[in-house]
Amino acid sequence: MIAHAIFFYTFSIIAVVSAIMVTASKNTVHSVFFLILDFISISCLFIMIGAEFLGMIMLIVYVGAVAVLFLFVVMMLNVAQQKNQWFVGQQSSRHIPIGLVISTLIFFEIIIVIGGWKFKPEIFDINNSISQASISNTHSLGKILYTDYIHVFQISGMILLVAMVGAIVLTFRQRSGVKRQSYIKQISRERAEGVEVLEVQSNKGVKLDD
Amino acid sequence: MEYLSLVFQEVYKILFLLVPVLVSVAMIVWLDRRVWAFVQKRQGPNVVGPFGLLQSLADALKYIFKEIIIPSSSNKVIFILAPIVTMTLALIAWAVIPFSATQVLADINVGILYLFAVSSLGVYGIIMGGWASNSKYPFLGAIRSAAQMVSYEVSIGVIIINVLLCVGSLNLNDIVIAQQNMWFVIPLFPMFVIFFISALAETNRPPFDLPEAEAELVAGYQTEYSGMMYAMFWLGEYANILLMCAMGAILFLGGWMSPIDVYPFTLVPSAIWLILKILLLFILFALVKAIVPRYRYDQLMRLGWKVFLPLSLIWVVLTASYLFYFNLLPMN
């Protein structure tokens, strides 16, 4: 139990500190690196409560793909040198009330959820199949996701697909005057199309482009 | 006290796994160079030790005694962290590789997801190194590798789904045991080919070594590195290649199982079979390096997104419908 507690507090302290550092660090690229550290420690916490599938998916999706693209964009935009002057700047202080309102709201939501879960567990109809010890985490998640919540699952997939198509449609531009290579055209070229053997008469030469 | 002995036991097990891995990484570098030389009708490293076997050791000694230069305008913390991240990620993945039904350090339920996650984290070492160097060539290499590794990860993920459909479990030992009657390389042969090519791209091997293309980018993300830090990148890269070979062997070539389940073959320890399969795949890796020219970047992206991804998705549908129609879906 002691080892469990030590690991839990280590990971949660790392998670909280790195979450604070995401907003507080002055270099944007450092912020993304702290975000990655945050994701990793949260996935460790997931694994510690026995949700190994969620933890691994967190690593694969957020750390392995989403954060890489974040880093990619942040590096490409060259905002690395731009100072994050949240705590000192005059400009950003106008946004502090909005941030405060939102964070207070989120705080109270969390209080309500955790408090309710703690003192009135019966109002949360937890499906028991997710916490069965006999089958593995992945199996029980799949069983719930593909039976009770299949419509929600399909709809969320459709939303993602629509978002992807929308993003492509919005950014795709058919530019004219661009030379495109078609490798099928290139490799299906016959010798006769490319090379012509001519009888060259002396002192007359060959006329090339006609 | 009980905890302490438990910890020591685990540390002992980990060392017993990692030291052979590191030694075999050194040997594999030598093998890579020899195969490469063999294809090009050269000798390759043959001076240090018998057949040049100790060449990697000599190289490592040279790297250790060289000065580590940290560029003055670099981001020092991340610059030093980058090779450490690469090396660590390449080594921690070996925890779940099963060498036999019982010889596995961590027999976790989601072994294949763990392998996939760790191999997808491998891109961070490269990005960190490229960005922290604060120089143009490493930066370009890092950007290239970020896009490349994310793209090919997608198709590797879909290929893993193919195998999982046939197995019905994410545990690596279950995956190996499911291949008792037939290795998955036979029914899923196209997936094996795509996996092999994606593994080449995922480990930045030729013909997909654009992040370190020496003709354009000096040495890509490693340009500013020297001494031991360069050697760590180099070791991490080869450990990753070995890991990808091990993943291919487990997913498609029956892992630690002997090819035929008859008397003389079953005497050989199962770890030997796994090592032989890894070696076979690695020699293929080395041959590809020797005989294939480097891809252009747009061709690389086209191959990943427009060819491999649709193909492997179609194959998922095919596998799933076949298994469903003939009622072969693994249930438990």
Side-chain angles (χ1 to χ4, degrees):
Chain A
M1 247 12 250
I2 297 170
H4 194 272
I6 291 173
F7 279 119
F8 173 76
Y9 283 113
T10 318
F11 289 135
S12 43
I13 287 169
I14 293 174
V16 172
V17 168
S18 55
I20 293 170
M21 287 306 288
V22 172
T23 52
S25 75
K26 293 202 165 169
N27 192 326
T28 328
V29 176
H30 286 181
S31 291
V32 182
F33 281 131
F34 277 115
L35 188 68
I36 293 160
L37 185 61
D38 201 18
F39 283 148
I40 291 175
S41 38
I42 285 171
S43 86
C44 291
L45 286 175
F46 267 131
I47 293 165
M48 280 192 66
I49 59 167
E52 66 237 350
F53 184 77
L54 275 182
M56 288 302 155
I57 289 296
M58 181 103 186
L59 273 186
I60 293 168
V61 174
Y62 286 97
V63 186
V66 174
V68 173
L69 296 180
F70 269 15
L71 260 186
F72 195 81
V73 170
V74 166
M75 285 173 173
M76 290 287 269
L77 290 178
N78 200 17
V79 285
Q81 302 306 316
Q82 185 188 323
K83 298 290 182 222
N84 186 351
Q85 296 181 329
W86 175 252
F87 292 113
V88 282
Q90 291 293 317
Q91 288 278 310
S92 54
S93 60
R94 284 182 295 134
H95 304 304
I96 286 181
I98 307 170
L100 273 180
V101 167
I102 292 174
S103 48
T104 325
L105 268 178
I106 293 173
F107 180 70
F108 277 109
E109 277 175 359
I110 292 173
I111 289 283
I112 290 167
V113 168
I114 293 179
W117 180 48
K118 186 83 184 164
F119 296 111
K120 269 210 179 308
E122 64 272 13
I123 56 169
F124 292 89
D125 182 28
I126 297 170
N127 203 322
N128 281 324
S129 61
I130 200 96
S131 52
Q132 272 175 19
S134 58
I135 52 173
S136 79
N137 193 262
T138 319
H139 275 146
S140 48
L141 253 182
K143 269 183 185 160
I144 268 197
L145 212 56
Y146 288 98
T147 52
D148 297 354
Y149 298 102
I150 179 72
H151 297 297
V152 185
F153 185 68
Q154 294 275 353
I155 288 169
S156 59
M158 285 308 286
I159 291 172
L160 282 177
L161 182 70
V162 168
M164 192 184 80
V165 173
I168 293 173
V169 167
L170 284 177
T171 53
F172 187 72
R173 235 173 287 146
Q174 193 87 52
R175 281 178 299 176
S176 57
V178 180
K179 281 193 177 174
R180 289 194 186 279
Q181 281 187 328
S182 159
Y183 74 102
I184 294 179
K185 227 162 119 188
Q186 285 176 340
I187 54 178
S188 60
R189 242 159 68 113
E190 293 295 323
R191 186 168 186 271
E193 298 169 42
V195 184
E196 197 180 350
V197 180
L198 292 176
E199 290 276 334
V200 185
Q201 288 168 345
S202 64
N203 286 331
K204 288 214 170 149
V206 184
K207 208 175 180 190
L208 275 178
D209 37 330
D210 49 324
Chain B
M1 214 49 227
E2 211 172 307
Y3 275 132
L4 221 59
S5 67
L6 201 76
V7 167
F8 275 124
Q9 212 177 350
E10 288 301 314
V11 167
Y12 172 74
K13 272 196 223 162
I14 291 169
L15 281 181
F16 201 69
L17 177 70
L18 282 192
V19 171
V21 166
L22 282 173
V23 171
S24 53
V25 164
M27 288 296 111
I28 225 89
V29 176
W30 169 82
L31 181 70
D32 189 26
R33 294 171 70 179
R34 283 301 286 235
V35 172
W36 196 8
F38 177 74
V39 175
Q40 296 174 346
K41 286 200 162 186
R42 293 184 285 114
Q43 285 292 313
N46 64 348
V47 178
V48 193
F51 307 107
L53 267 169
L54 300 178
Q55 178 68 42
S56 303
L57 197 71
D59 283 348
L61 274 178
K62 185 189 77 175
Y63 282 126
I64 289 169
F65 288 114
K66 278 202 169 184
E67 186 189 354
I68 293 176
I69 300 166
I70 299 175
S72 59
S73 63
S74 67
N75 190 321
K76 289 179 188 60
V77 178
I78 296 181
F79 188 80
I80 294 169
L81 267 178
I84 299 174
V85 166
T86 306
M87 185 79 185
T88 317
L89 285 174
L91 291 182
I92 60 169
W94 286 92
V96 292
I97 300 284
F99 287 93
S100 78
T102 48
Q103 281 172 313
V104 49
L105 200 62
D107 194 13
I108 57 175
N109 279 334
V110 286
I112 187 68
L113 279 183
Y114 175 82
L115 264 190
F116 185 55
V118 170
S119 73
S120 72
L121 292 189
V123 66
Y124 281 111
I126 295 173
I127 297 186
M128 286 162 85
W131 179 77
S133 300
N134 200 5
S135 156
K136 289 204 173 47
Y137 294 123
F139 185 65
L140 279 174
I143 292 285
R144 279 184 179 189
S145 77
Q148 172 181 335
M149 289 172 84
V150 168
S151 312
Y152 279 86
E153 234 169 66
V154 179
S155 58
I156 288 190
V158 178
I159 291 162
I160 288 175
I161 291 176
N162 267 305
V163 174
L164 294 183
L165 275 174
C166 306
V167 180
S169 165
L170 296 167
N171 185 299
L172 286 174
N173 254 329
D174 289 350
I175 292 176
V176 171
I177 290 166
Q179 304 177 55
Q180 211 152 25
N181 298 323
M182 191 195 278
W183 291 359
F184 287 145
V185 69
I186 300 165
L188 299 173
F189 185 70
M191 288 303 100
F192 175 67
V193 175
I194 294 181
F195 177 84
F196 183 74
I197 300 172
S198 302
L200 286 175
E202 184 79 3
T203 50
N204 297 326
R205 285 280 291 187
F208 306 109
D209 60 338
L210 284 140
E212 39 177 293
E214 65 270 9
E216 307 143 41
L217 296 181
V218 191
Y221 59 92
Q222 311 167 331
T223 306
E224 305 289 342
Y225 281 88
S226 57
M228 201 51 215
M229 282 160 72
Y230 176 76
M232 279 174 82
F233 261 132
W234 186 67
L235 280 175
E237 202 175 299
Y238 273 92
N240 253 330
I241 291 165
L242 266 191
L243 182 75
M244 278 318 223
C245 294
M247 207 162 143
I250 288 169
L251 287 179
F252 292 102
L253 299 181
W256 42 262
M257 245 165 347
S258 67
I260 320 164
D261 205 12
V262 289
Y263 170 65
F265 288 101
T266 45
L267 280 181
V268 182
S270 40
I272 302 283
W273 284 120
L274 182 67
I275 291 167
L276 280 179
K277 284 164 187 173
I278 293 175
L279 269 180
L280 175 78
L281 280 176
F282 184 79
I283 289 173
L284 278 178
F285 263 65
L287 281 177
V288 169
K289 179 181 181 173
I291 57 183
V292 183
R294 184 177 294 136
Y295 259 54
R296 216 175 48 212
Y297 200 69
D298 60 315
Q299 291 170 333
L300 173 93
M301 282 298 164
R302 191 189 143 272
L303 188 71
W305 287 105
K306 291 189 183 167
V307 182
F308 284 177
L309 184 61
L311 245 173
S312 43
L313 272 176
I314 289 170
W315 206 267
V316 167
V317 176
L318 269 179
T319 317
S321 11
Y322 177 84
L323 291 174
F324 185 74
Y325 187 75
F326 291 101
N327 217 1
L328 293 168
L329 273 175
M331 299 281 184
N332 45 351

